Amino acid sequence: QVQLVESGGDLVQAGGSLRLSCAASRSIFSINFMGWYRQAPGNPRELVAGITSGGSTNYADSVKGRFTISRDNAKNTVYLQMNSLKPEDTAVYYCKAREWIGTRLDDYWGQGTQVTVSS
């Protein structure tokens, strides 16, 4: 089991920046994948950015060049640096951890943090 707590969401003007944090209740060293997802009202939850235990990253096309995901295993924390924010980035942002142990796959989610970008 791992509990995830997101923080850093806020109201910001278009063009501004925010850094989201996802703090895990235990070591994330063995967690294979951690990602940031977002969900706007009326829309499905979508992957924004992900990072593997080896440090490989992937991003949604809509955020490439603006968002950066990183993980600090020593602090059991994953970050999402968001620059050049747009109104369409407005959503609840969720952190997810995916862990494989043998043949068992477990997904864990945080409670979400609201990001609102005003025009």
Side-chain angles (χ1 to χ4, degrees):
Q1 286 277 351
V2 59
Q3 283 75 48
L4 303 172
V5 179
E6 302 98 332
S7 61
D10 206 345
L11 170 64
V12 64
Q13 288 190 333
S17 297
L18 284 174
R19 187 176 82 156
L20 305 184
S21 299
C22 171
S25 60
R26 63 165 174 83
S27 172
I28 63 171
F29 182 79
S30 65
I31 294 179
N32 307 89
F33 173 86
M34 296 199 70
W36 285 97
Y37 292 71
R38 67 186 179 188
Q39 188 168 22
N43 289 351
R45 192 171 296 188
E46 62 175 355
L47 174 66
V48 175
I51 186 166
T52 68
S53 56
S56 297
T57 59
N58 66 292
Y59 297 91
D61 287 343
S62 58
V63 307
K64 283 180 181 176
R66 299 189 297 123
F67 290 10
T68 303
I69 189 170
S70 61
R71 62 192 287 168
D72 186 335
N73 289 343
K75 295 183 177 180
N76 301 332
T77 301
V78 174
Y79 303 98
L80 185 67
Q81 178 66 44
M82 305 187 295
N83 299 328
S84 302
L85 283 161
K86 304 175 180 180
E88 51 264 42
D89 294 319
T90 295
V92 178
Y93 283 70
Y94 298 90
C95 178
K96 171 183 159 180
R98 170 162 284 185
E99 187 171 38
W100 286 271
I101 301 177
T103 59
R104 176 175 166 172
L105 175 66
D106 291 316
D107 284 341
Y108 304 96
W109 290 92
Q111 82 291 344
T113 186
Q114 177 71 47
V115 172
T116 303
V117 184
S118 64
S119 57

